Amino acid sequence: MEKTFSKHTVAKTHYVPYATDGAKENSGGSTAIMIMGAILATIFAASTAYSGMKAGLTVAAGIPGSIIGSGMVGVFAKKKGIFGKNLLQGMSSGGESIASGMIYVLPAIIIIGGKVNFFAGIAVGALAVLFAVGVASLVENYLLVEENGKLMYPESTAISEALDASEAGGDSLKHMGIGFGIGGIITLLTTQVFGCVNSVMTFVGNSSYRWKISTEVNPMLAGIGFVVG
């Protein structure tokens, strides 16, 4: 059985799943995992709703969810394995994804004259989750198995590397923690949170016609590029 989620697995043409039929006893699901996953999902959903409504940008929860989840599993969970960590990052991503859809869809419905109450909003979120899970189940075999080695999935590759490093421990885990800490400090100091440092570079031209281009220095995107590249 292949014991890695890393990019070396992605490069192979033959799909080898990490979890086999004989690994059900190590599935990682437990009451502690569900509680921690619900907490992380709520936190990332709230942060996504705040940043999305304020700046129009959402928070990608998969990578921080995998790193924070790995630490929480090591401290609070009885079953300490990569399966529980993977569940936590999945629930973190789920909370962020639901919030991303809600903050853009529901205001649009209100703007066009529709009326949405609390229960209608809950129903929209629940139906969106069921729809997403159903569609994903239809294309899962094609995208993950048949297209293995062709589609790289940069963010998923970074998540798998983080989970892999948490299992390996040693220098990999230390470097992951250092990088997460540095990235967190940079994010806190930039315009995304406290606004002490400007992380957006803007270029303006007026020669023949007026144009403006802005780009943001994002430590998370830089880390993804380093892992995938």
Side-chain angles (χ1 to χ4, degrees), residues 156-221:
S156 296
T157 302
I159 293 172
S160 65
E161 290 287 350
L163 295 175
D164 222 12
S166 68
E167 283 292 285
D171 291 338
S172 299
L173 185 60
K174 180 180 70 174
H175 293 156
M176 183 180 71
I178 293 174
F180 186 70
I182 294 175
I185 293 174
I186 295 175
T187 302
L188 289 174
L189 295 178
T190 58
T191 54
Q192 300 177 35
V193 182
F194 294 122
C196 301
V197 180
N198 182 24
S199 62
V200 179
M201 297 182 294
T202 302
F203 304 91
V204 180
N206 294 309
S207 54
S208 58
Y209 61 93
R210 299 183 64 182
W211 57 270
K212 181 179 179 180
I213 299 177
S214 297
T215 182
E216 181 186 8
V217 179
N218 192 310
M220 183 188 69
L221 296 180

Side-chain angles (χ1 to χ4, degrees), residues 54-229:
K54 182 179 180 180
L57 298 174
T58 57
V59 179
I63 298 174
S66 63
I67 297 174
I68 298 174
S70 297
M72 294 179 70
V73 168
V75 175
F76 300 109
K78 292 182 179 180
K79 291 184 179 180
K80 304 183 186 301
I82 199 168
F83 298 102
K85 299 172 185 178
N86 191 46
L87 283 174
L88 285 184
Q89 72 83 17
M91 296 178 72
S92 301
S93 299
E96 172 258 326
S97 300
I98 295 172
S100 298
M102 298 283 281
I103 62 175
Y104 295 129
V105 173
L106 294 184
I109 295 175
I110 296 174
I111 289 174
I112 64 177
K115 295 183 179 180
V116 181
N117 55 33
F118 175 79
F119 296 103
I122 295 295
V124 169
L127 291 174
V129 171
L130 295 176
F131 177 77
V133 172
V135 172
S137 64
L138 294 176
V139 299
E140 178 183 10
N141 184 73
Y142 173 76
L143 293 178
L144 298 183
V145 179
E146 296 182 18
E147 293 296 305
N148 182 60
K150 300 176 184 178
L151 301 177
M152 292 299 295
Y153 301 109
E155 185 177 359
S156 296
T157 302
I159 293 172
S160 65
E161 290 287 350
L163 295 175
D164 222 12
S166 68
E167 283 292 285
D171 291 338
S172 299
L173 185 60
K174 180 180 70 174
H175 293 156
M176 183 180 71
I178 293 174
F180 186 70
I182 294 175
I185 293 174
I186 295 175
T187 302
L188 289 174
L189 295 178
T190 58
T191 54
Q192 300 177 35
V193 182
F194 294 122
C196 301
V197 180
N198 182 24
S199 62
V200 179
M201 297 182 294
T202 302
F203 304 91
V204 180
N206 294 309
S207 54
S208 58
Y209 61 93
R210 299 183 64 182
W211 57 270
K212 181 179 179 180
I213 299 177
S214 297
T215 182
E216 181 186 8
V217 179
N218 192 310
M220 183 188 69
L221 296 180
I224 294 175
F226 174 78
V227 170
V228 177

